[in-house]
Amino acid sequence: MMTDIHSGNIPAASDIPETSRVPASDGAKIFKKTRDDFPILKRKIYGKPLIYLDNAATSQKPFSVIQAIQTYYENSNANIHRGVHHLAEEATSAYEAVRKKTAAFIHAKDHHSILFTRNCTEAINLAAFSWGRKFLKPGDEILLTEMEHHSNLIPWHFLKNEKGIELKFIPFNEEGILNLSKLPELLSSRTKLVSLTHISNSLGTINPIKQIIEAAHEKGALVLIDGAQSVPHLPVDVQDLNCDFLAFSSHKMLGPTGVGILYGKLELLEAMDPFMGGGEMIREVWLDHSTYSKPPWKYEAGTPNIADTIGFGAALDYLNQTGMKEIQKQEEELTRFALQRFSAEKEIKVYGPQNFKIHAGIISFNLEGIHPHDVGTILDQEGIAIRAGHHCTQPLMRKLGVSGTARASFYFYNTKEEVELLLQSIQKVFQIFHHAAAR
Ligand code: C6P
């Protein structure tokens, strides 16, 4: 049975002696410059410096992104693709420049392959709706994994109900690693699409997607990669991977909320039907029928999120200047350190692979007998932001046999000192609960 903080008799965090704060090391100094770029990292929460470890939910934003949005509204605000006036042209070229920047960021051959949506969820729904509704027939199969986020499950549930397709799942083992020995029996000529996450948001597992893409293509199936947790953290090259679709979100990679990206191979985007109808996506319209524009505009009905897309462009600039390889290296080192430190604590159960080479900067854990929400609440009192719950992966949690986990997720601006402080504060959680149990 887990103890619930809301059931009473539990001392406040202030009743427990203060843990000493760890002095900043050289590593932290090197990253001070980076941290200075993020105004929110200077905040105090309950009088303590914010330690933001909820980057898998959304990342923080540098000045340059915040400024790009403000500058756009102050100088260039206009609707795009329709006006003939100066501002409309300026806004259109700024918006379309981000499409080119996005294509370059993921090494897409053609910027017409980049569709802007509201978020990663909408990007996956777009692929399911526009490709799946047109091309799937009863009896066709889609192969997913047991570790998918709800965003990469529910759109396929819709198609299962509507089109009579079947869903199959690659299982994962006790370490949270996909069991690829099952692939030969799961993949067949009936498999039309394999849709899977590159990095699990609940386990941190980095999946061997290149190998899976090759196996799927051998059977004639397409592959959609959910890159929500990978594109922000490591270099992704769609041509090298040869994936057919890639979905991700701006807000997890320094950009604003309200912008998602679907990359698709151009021949697929040309063959698929539109997702939504309305202004901007048409060629000609009569009262009773219409013809459509070319991709990407065919998929971008109505006025898009212009300002935030331009903000996303500034985020891409920031990531390019920092270097995705550098970001990957920094996070790998932080994860190696965190996994080592966490595994030394016997009362902490850490989920996901032990090997930091296949474990991204997402540490999902439970403290024996303590509800993850209580862990999150007490850490919050220490100024530490983590996420607690099922992380939109209920089937995965069911398989782990838990209702949820506590989850600390890193970005390149996090430091080893912050990981140490997290561990010290976890000790405080134990003290609070052991104190309560003893009373
Ligand atoms: N995961 C998390 O805290 P949106 O919300 O559309 O930007 O991203 C959806 C999504 C899709 N796939 C994966 C693997 C994800 O992790 C997410 C978002 C957040 O883990 C919010 S639930």
PDB file of all heavy atoms in Angstrom, residues 223-253:
ATOM      1  N   VAL A 223       6.897   3.432 -42.222  1.00  0.00           N
ATOM      2  CA  VAL A 223       7.229   3.633 -40.803  1.00  0.00           C
ATOM      3  C   VAL A 223       7.018   5.090 -40.403  1.00  0.00           C
ATOM      4  O   VAL A 223       7.508   6.011 -41.063  1.00  0.00           O
ATOM      5  CB  VAL A 223       8.693   3.234 -40.490  1.00  0.00           C
ATOM      6  CG1 VAL A 223       8.986   3.399 -38.997  1.00  0.00           C
ATOM      7  CG2 VAL A 223       8.963   1.798 -40.914  1.00  0.00           C
ATOM      8  N   LEU A 224       6.271   5.259 -39.317  1.00  0.00           N
ATOM      9  CA  LEU A 224       6.111   6.586 -38.702  1.00  0.00           C
ATOM     10  C   LEU A 224       6.889   6.591 -37.389  1.00  0.00           C
ATOM     11  O   LEU A 224       6.728   5.694 -36.564  1.00  0.00           O
ATOM     12  CB  LEU A 224       4.632   6.874 -38.421  1.00  0.00           C
ATOM     13  CG  LEU A 224       4.287   8.261 -37.860  1.00  0.00           C
ATOM     14  CD1 LEU A 224       2.849   8.659 -38.256  1.00  0.00           C
ATOM     15  CD2 LEU A 224       4.456   8.418 -36.364  1.00  0.00           C
ATOM     16  N   ILE A 225       7.752   7.582 -37.227  1.00  0.00           N
ATOM     17  CA  ILE A 225       8.512   7.718 -35.980  1.00  0.00           C
ATOM     18  C   ILE A 225       7.916   8.867 -35.171  1.00  0.00           C
ATOM     19  O   ILE A 225       7.774   9.986 -35.675  1.00  0.00           O
ATOM     20  CB  ILE A 225      10.015   8.008 -36.270  1.00  0.00           C
ATOM     21  CG1 ILE A 225      10.652   6.862 -37.064  1.00  0.00           C
ATOM     22  CG2 ILE A 225      10.780   8.263 -34.969  1.00  0.00           C
ATOM     23  CD1 ILE A 225      10.709   5.516 -36.371  1.00  0.00           C
ATOM     24  N   ASP A 226       7.571   8.563 -33.913  1.00  0.00           N
ATOM     25  CA  ASP A 226       7.168   9.603 -32.974  1.00  0.00           C
ATOM     26  C   ASP A 226       8.466  10.151 -32.369  1.00  0.00           C
ATOM     27  O   ASP A 226       9.086   9.509 -31.524  1.00  0.00           O
ATOM     28  CB  ASP A 226       6.248   8.987 -31.910  1.00  0.00           C
ATOM     29  CG  ASP A 226       5.901   9.982 -30.804  1.00  0.00           C
ATOM     30  OD1 ASP A 226       6.482  11.081 -30.775  1.00  0.00           O
ATOM     31  OD2 ASP A 226       5.056   9.628 -29.954  1.00  0.00           O
ATOM     32  N   GLY A 227       8.848  11.327 -32.838  1.00  0.00           N
ATOM     33  CA  GLY A 227      10.125  11.915 -32.418  1.00  0.00           C
ATOM     34  C   GLY A 227       9.977  12.953 -31.322  1.00  0.00           C
ATOM     35  O   GLY A 227      10.904  13.743 -31.098  1.00  0.00           O
ATOM     36  N   ALA A 228       8.835  12.936 -30.603  1.00  0.00           N
ATOM     37  CA  ALA A 228       8.578  13.976 -29.585  1.00  0.00           C
ATOM     38  C   ALA A 228       9.721  14.079 -28.583  1.00  0.00           C
ATOM     39  O   ALA A 228      10.102  15.175 -28.170  1.00  0.00           O
ATOM     40  CB  ALA A 228       7.266  13.698 -28.862  1.00  0.00           C
ATOM     41  N   GLN A 229      10.286  12.917 -28.186  1.00  0.00           N
ATOM     42  CA  GLN A 229      11.324  12.942 -27.149  1.00  0.00           C
ATOM     43  C   GLN A 229      12.731  12.782 -27.727  1.00  0.00           C
ATOM     44  O   GLN A 229      13.700  12.800 -26.978  1.00  0.00           O
ATOM     45  CB  GLN A 229      11.070  11.829 -26.115  1.00  0.00           C
ATOM     46  CG  GLN A 229       9.740  11.925 -25.393  1.00  0.00           C
ATOM     47  CD  GLN A 229       9.628  13.149 -24.476  1.00  0.00           C
ATOM     48  OE1 GLN A 229      10.601  13.868 -24.232  1.00  0.00           O
ATOM     49  NE2 GLN A 229       8.431  13.396 -23.980  1.00  0.00           N
ATOM     50  N   SER A 230      12.856  12.612 -29.043  1.00  0.00           N
ATOM     51  CA  SER A 230      14.202  12.426 -29.598  1.00  0.00           C
ATOM     52  C   SER A 230      14.693  13.646 -30.367  1.00  0.00           C
ATOM     53  O   SER A 230      15.840  14.078 -30.161  1.00  0.00           O
ATOM     54  CB  SER A 230      14.243  11.188 -30.506  1.00  0.00           C
ATOM     55  OG  SER A 230      13.393  11.349 -31.621  1.00  0.00           O
ATOM     56  N   VAL A 231      13.851  14.222 -31.215  1.00  0.00           N
ATOM     57  CA  VAL A 231      14.318  15.339 -32.056  1.00  0.00           C
ATOM     58  C   VAL A 231      14.890  16.486 -31.198  1.00  0.00           C
ATOM     59  O   VAL A 231      15.880  17.097 -31.588  1.00  0.00           O
ATOM     60  CB  VAL A 231      13.189  15.819 -33.009  1.00  0.00           C
ATOM     61  CG1 VAL A 231      13.650  17.001 -33.847  1.00  0.00           C
ATOM     62  CG2 VAL A 231      12.734  14.675 -33.909  1.00  0.00           C
ATOM     63  N   PRO A 232      14.331  16.750 -30.003  1.00  0.00           N
ATOM     64  CA  PRO A 232      14.927  17.814 -29.183  1.00  0.00           C
ATOM     65  C   PRO A 232      16.298  17.468 -28.596  1.00  0.00           C
ATOM     66  O   PRO A 232      17.012  18.367 -28.155  1.00  0.00           O
ATOM     67  CB  PRO A 232      13.926  17.978 -28.017  1.00  0.00           C
ATOM     68  CG  PRO A 232      12.663  17.345 -28.485  1.00  0.00           C
ATOM     69  CD  PRO A 232      13.074  16.249 -29.413  1.00  0.00           C
ATOM     70  N   HIS A 233      16.669  16.187 -28.565  1.00  0.00           N
ATOM     71  CA  HIS A 233      17.824  15.773 -27.752  1.00  0.00           C
ATOM     72  C   HIS A 233      18.987  15.163 -28.517  1.00  0.00           C
ATOM     73  O   HIS A 233      20.071  15.025 -27.961  1.00  0.00           O
ATOM     74  CB  HIS A 233      17.355  14.791 -26.674  1.00  0.00           C
ATOM     75  CG  HIS A 233      16.338  15.386 -25.753  1.00  0.00           C
ATOM     76  ND1 HIS A 233      16.672  16.213 -24.713  1.00  0.00           N
ATOM     77  CD2 HIS A 233      14.980  15.323 -25.760  1.00  0.00           C
ATOM     78  CE1 HIS A 233      15.572  16.622 -24.097  1.00  0.00           C
ATOM     79  NE2 HIS A 233      14.532  16.099 -24.712  1.00  0.00           N
ATOM     80  N   LEU A 234      18.771  14.745 -29.742  1.00  0.00           N
ATOM     81  CA  LEU A 234      19.883  14.148 -30.499  1.00  0.00           C
ATOM     82  C   LEU A 234      19.702  14.417 -31.990  1.00  0.00           C
ATOM     83  O   LEU A 234      18.590  14.698 -32.439  1.00  0.00           O
ATOM     84  CB  LEU A 234      20.008  12.651 -30.202  1.00  0.00           C
ATOM     85  CG  LEU A 234      18.757  11.780 -30.128  1.00  0.00           C
ATOM     86  CD1 LEU A 234      18.430  11.187 -31.475  1.00  0.00           C
ATOM     87  CD2 LEU A 234      18.986  10.668 -29.119  1.00  0.00           C
ATOM     88  N   PRO A 235      20.802  14.334 -32.751  1.00  0.00           N
ATOM     89  CA  PRO A 235      20.651  14.603 -34.187  1.00  0.00           C
ATOM     90  C   PRO A 235      19.754  13.542 -34.828  1.00  0.00           C
ATOM     91  O   PRO A 235      19.931  12.356 -34.575  1.00  0.00           O
ATOM     92  CB  PRO A 235      22.091  14.473 -34.720  1.00  0.00           C
ATOM     93  CG  PRO A 235      22.985  14.497 -33.521  1.00  0.00           C
ATOM     94  CD  PRO A 235      22.190  14.002 -32.368  1.00  0.00           C
ATOM     95  N   VAL A 236      18.793  13.993 -35.628  1.00  0.00           N
ATOM     96  CA  VAL A 236      17.905  13.060 -36.345  1.00  0.00           C
ATOM     97  C   VAL A 236      17.982  13.402 -37.827  1.00  0.00           C
ATOM     98  O   VAL A 236      17.810  14.557 -38.212  1.00  0.00           O
ATOM     99  CB  VAL A 236      16.451  13.154 -35.825  1.00  0.00           C
ATOM    100  CG1 VAL A 236      15.489  12.366 -36.717  1.00  0.00           C
ATOM    101  CG2 VAL A 236      16.351  12.653 -34.389  1.00  0.00           C
ATOM    102  N   ASP A 237      18.251  12.376 -38.635  1.00  0.00           N
ATOM    103  CA  ASP A 237      18.426  12.568 -40.075  1.00  0.00           C
ATOM    104  C   ASP A 237      17.428  11.661 -40.791  1.00  0.00           C
ATOM    105  O   ASP A 237      17.608  10.444 -40.850  1.00  0.00           O
ATOM    106  CB  ASP A 237      19.882  12.193 -40.425  1.00  0.00           C
ATOM    107  CG  ASP A 237      20.206  12.357 -41.895  1.00  0.00           C
ATOM    108  OD1 ASP A 237      19.292  12.218 -42.730  1.00  0.00           O
ATOM    109  OD2 ASP A 237      21.381  12.615 -42.218  1.00  0.00           O
ATOM    110  N   VAL A 238      16.371  12.280 -41.323  1.00  0.00           N
ATOM    111  CA  VAL A 238      15.292  11.459 -41.904  1.00  0.00           C
ATOM    112  C   VAL A 238      15.743  10.712 -43.161  1.00  0.00           C
ATOM    113  O   VAL A 238      15.193   9.653 -43.477  1.00  0.00           O
ATOM    114  CB  VAL A 238      14.019  12.285 -42.216  1.00  0.00           C
ATOM    115  CG1 VAL A 238      13.316  12.706 -40.942  1.00  0.00           C
ATOM    116  CG2 VAL A 238      14.304  13.475 -43.119  1.00  0.00           C
ATOM    117  N   GLN A 239      16.753  11.269 -43.852  1.00  0.00           N
ATOM    118  CA  GLN A 239      17.216  10.563 -45.056  1.00  0.00           C
ATOM    119  C   GLN A 239      18.051   9.347 -44.682  1.00  0.00           C
ATOM    120  O   GLN A 239      17.921   8.282 -45.283  1.00  0.00           O
ATOM    121  CB  GLN A 239      18.032  11.496 -45.941  1.00  0.00           C
ATOM    122  CG  GLN A 239      17.147  12.547 -46.601  1.00  0.00           C
ATOM    123  CD  GLN A 239      17.918  13.308 -47.636  1.00  0.00           C
ATOM    124  OE1 GLN A 239      18.221  12.787 -48.704  1.00  0.00           O
ATOM    125  NE2 GLN A 239      18.235  14.551 -47.333  1.00  0.00           N
ATOM    126  N   ASP A 240      18.874   9.514 -43.656  1.00  0.00           N
ATOM    127  CA  ASP A 240      19.678   8.386 -43.198  1.00  0.00           C
ATOM    128  C   ASP A 240      18.772   7.304 -42.591  1.00  0.00           C
ATOM    129  O   ASP A 240      18.943   6.115 -42.866  1.00  0.00           O
ATOM    130  CB  ASP A 240      20.701   8.885 -42.165  1.00  0.00           C
ATOM    131  CG  ASP A 240      21.519   7.734 -41.610  1.00  0.00           C
ATOM    132  OD1 ASP A 240      22.087   7.001 -42.431  1.00  0.00           O
ATOM    133  OD2 ASP A 240      21.562   7.567 -40.372  1.00  0.00           O
ATOM    134  N   LEU A 241      17.796   7.721 -41.798  1.00  0.00           N
ATOM    135  CA  LEU A 241      16.881   6.742 -41.186  1.00  0.00           C
ATOM    136  C   LEU A 241      15.982   6.097 -42.229  1.00  0.00           C
ATOM    137  O   LEU A 241      15.555   4.965 -42.090  1.00  0.00           O
ATOM    138  CB  LEU A 241      15.994   7.426 -40.139  1.00  0.00           C
ATOM    139  CG  LEU A 241      16.645   7.860 -38.837  1.00  0.00           C
ATOM    140  CD1 LEU A 241      15.677   8.702 -38.015  1.00  0.00           C
ATOM    141  CD2 LEU A 241      17.083   6.632 -38.037  1.00  0.00           C
ATOM    142  N   ASN A 242      15.653   6.889 -43.254  1.00  0.00           N
ATOM    143  CA  ASN A 242      14.713   6.474 -44.296  1.00  0.00           C
ATOM    144  C   ASN A 242      13.309   6.217 -43.734  1.00  0.00           C
ATOM    145  O   ASN A 242      12.587   5.338 -44.209  1.00  0.00           O
ATOM    146  CB  ASN A 242      15.252   5.229 -45.021  1.00  0.00           C
ATOM    147  CG  ASN A 242      14.546   5.014 -46.342  1.00  0.00           C
ATOM    148  OD1 ASN A 242      13.906   5.931 -46.869  1.00  0.00           O
ATOM    149  ND2 ASN A 242      14.617   3.799 -46.870  1.00  0.00           N
ATOM    150  N   CYS A 243      12.925   7.002 -42.701  1.00  0.00           N
ATOM    151  CA  CYS A 243      11.552   6.868 -42.184  1.00  0.00           C
ATOM    152  C   CYS A 243      10.595   7.546 -43.162  1.00  0.00           C
ATOM    153  O   CYS A 243      10.991   8.418 -43.932  1.00  0.00           O
ATOM    154  CB  CYS A 243      11.437   7.494 -40.794  1.00  0.00           C
ATOM    155  SG  CYS A 243      11.875   9.226 -40.738  1.00  0.00           S
ATOM    156  N   ASP A 244       9.330   7.129 -43.107  1.00  0.00           N
ATOM    157  CA  ASP A 244       8.341   7.677 -44.043  1.00  0.00           C
ATOM    158  C   ASP A 244       7.642   8.897 -43.457  1.00  0.00           C
ATOM    159  O   ASP A 244       7.272   9.811 -44.184  1.00  0.00           O
ATOM    160  CB  ASP A 244       7.348   6.579 -44.405  1.00  0.00           C
ATOM    161  CG  ASP A 244       8.057   5.410 -45.059  1.00  0.00           C
ATOM    162  OD1 ASP A 244       8.416   5.536 -46.238  1.00  0.00           O
ATOM    163  OD2 ASP A 244       8.328   4.399 -44.371  1.00  0.00           O
ATOM    164  N   PHE A 245       7.442   8.875 -42.130  1.00  0.00           N
ATOM    165  CA  PHE A 245       6.873  10.023 -41.415  1.00  0.00           C
ATOM    166  C   PHE A 245       7.683  10.237 -40.135  1.00  0.00           C
ATOM    167  O   PHE A 245       8.170   9.273 -39.542  1.00  0.00           O
ATOM    168  CB  PHE A 245       5.420   9.768 -40.990  1.00  0.00           C
ATOM    169  CG  PHE A 245       4.448   9.575 -42.129  1.00  0.00           C
ATOM    170  CD1 PHE A 245       3.977   8.298 -42.436  1.00  0.00           C
ATOM    171  CD2 PHE A 245       3.973  10.647 -42.864  1.00  0.00           C
ATOM    172  CE1 PHE A 245       3.074   8.108 -43.464  1.00  0.00           C
ATOM    173  CE2 PHE A 245       3.055  10.467 -43.895  1.00  0.00           C
ATOM    174  CZ  PHE A 245       2.606   9.184 -44.195  1.00  0.00           C
ATOM    175  N   LEU A 246       7.760  11.491 -39.707  1.00  0.00           N
ATOM    176  CA  LEU A 246       8.371  11.812 -38.406  1.00  0.00           C
ATOM    177  C   LEU A 246       7.545  12.935 -37.788  1.00  0.00           C
ATOM    178  O   LEU A 246       7.308  13.957 -38.445  1.00  0.00           O
ATOM    179  CB  LEU A 246       9.819  12.288 -38.591  1.00  0.00           C
ATOM    180  CG  LEU A 246      10.515  12.839 -37.345  1.00  0.00           C
ATOM    181  CD1 LEU A 246      10.910  11.704 -36.385  1.00  0.00           C
ATOM    182  CD2 LEU A 246      11.778  13.639 -37.711  1.00  0.00           C
ATOM    183  N   ALA A 247       7.086  12.708 -36.552  1.00  0.00           N
ATOM    184  CA  ALA A 247       6.258  13.723 -35.877  1.00  0.00           C
ATOM    185  C   ALA A 247       6.993  14.237 -34.645  1.00  0.00           C
ATOM    186  O   ALA A 247       7.623  13.457 -33.926  1.00  0.00           O
ATOM    187  CB  ALA A 247       4.932  13.096 -35.462  1.00  0.00           C
ATOM    188  N   PHE A 248       6.917  15.554 -34.406  1.00  0.00           N
ATOM    189  CA  PHE A 248       7.497  16.114 -33.174  1.00  0.00           C
ATOM    190  C   PHE A 248       6.873  17.475 -32.858  1.00  0.00           C
ATOM    191  O   PHE A 248       6.068  17.981 -33.634  1.00  0.00           O
ATOM    192  CB  PHE A 248       9.034  16.183 -33.242  1.00  0.00           C
ATOM    193  CG  PHE A 248       9.629  16.922 -34.430  1.00  0.00           C
ATOM    194  CD1 PHE A 248      10.186  18.185 -34.261  1.00  0.00           C
ATOM    195  CD2 PHE A 248       9.667  16.350 -35.691  1.00  0.00           C
ATOM    196  CE1 PHE A 248      10.759  18.868 -35.342  1.00  0.00           C
ATOM    197  CE2 PHE A 248      10.232  17.017 -36.780  1.00  0.00           C
ATOM    198  CZ  PHE A 248      10.774  18.275 -36.604  1.00  0.00           C
ATOM    199  N   SER A 249       7.244  18.016 -31.690  1.00  0.00           N
ATOM    200  CA  SER A 249       6.633  19.260 -31.182  1.00  0.00           C
ATOM    201  C   SER A 249       7.694  20.317 -30.929  1.00  0.00           C
ATOM    202  O   SER A 249       8.752  20.020 -30.368  1.00  0.00           O
ATOM    203  CB  SER A 249       5.953  19.000 -29.823  1.00  0.00           C
ATOM    204  OG  SER A 249       4.649  18.544 -29.981  1.00  0.00           O
ATOM    205  N   SER A 250       7.376  21.555 -31.258  1.00  0.00           N
ATOM    206  CA  SER A 250       8.277  22.681 -31.001  1.00  0.00           C
ATOM    207  C   SER A 250       8.537  22.899 -29.508  1.00  0.00           C
ATOM    208  O   SER A 250       9.655  23.195 -29.080  1.00  0.00           O
ATOM    209  CB  SER A 250       7.656  23.946 -31.605  1.00  0.00           C
ATOM    210  OG  SER A 250       7.890  25.092 -30.855  1.00  0.00           O
ATOM    211  N   HIS A 251       7.481  22.722 -28.695  1.00  0.00           N
ATOM    212  CA  HIS A 251       7.589  23.161 -27.287  1.00  0.00           C
ATOM    213  C   HIS A 251       8.522  22.303 -26.442  1.00  0.00           C
ATOM    214  O   HIS A 251       8.895  22.701 -25.338  1.00  0.00           O
ATOM    215  CB  HIS A 251       6.200  23.233 -26.632  1.00  0.00           C
ATOM    216  CG  HIS A 251       5.572  21.901 -26.365  1.00  0.00           C
ATOM    217  ND1 HIS A 251       5.690  21.261 -25.167  1.00  0.00           N
ATOM    218  CD2 HIS A 251       4.817  21.094 -27.141  1.00  0.00           C
ATOM    219  CE1 HIS A 251       5.028  20.111 -25.214  1.00  0.00           C
ATOM    220  NE2 HIS A 251       4.494  19.984 -26.407  1.00  0.00           N
ATOM    221  N   LYS A 252       8.896  21.120 -26.948  1.00  0.00           N
ATOM    222  CA  LYS A 252       9.838  20.286 -26.189  1.00  0.00           C
ATOM    223  C   LYS A 252      11.282  20.576 -26.605  1.00  0.00           C
ATOM    224  O   LYS A 252      12.210  19.940 -26.129  1.00  0.00           O
ATOM    225  CB  LYS A 252       9.516  18.800 -26.405  1.00  0.00           C
ATOM    226  CG  LYS A 252       8.160  18.365 -25.835  1.00  0.00           C
ATOM    227  CD  LYS A 252       8.014  16.878 -25.912  1.00  0.00           C
ATOM    228  CE  LYS A 252       6.590  16.395 -25.812  1.00  0.00           C
ATOM    229  NZ  LYS A 252       5.997  16.552 -24.502  1.00  0.00           N
ATOM    230  N   MET A 253      11.458  21.501 -27.549  1.00  0.00           N
ATOM    231  CA  MET A 253      12.807  21.798 -28.054  1.00  0.00           C
ATOM    232  C   MET A 253      13.039  23.310 -28.097  1.00  0.00           C
ATOM    233  O   MET A 253      13.463  23.844 -29.113  1.00  0.00           O
ATOM    234  CB  MET A 253      13.056  21.123 -29.396  1.00  0.00           C
ATOM    235  CG  MET A 253      11.968  21.303 -30.438  1.00  0.00           C
ATOM    236  SD  MET A 253      12.125  20.164 -31.831  1.00  0.00           S
ATOM    237  CE  MET A 253      13.622  20.711 -32.605  1.00  0.00           C
TER     238      MET A 253
END
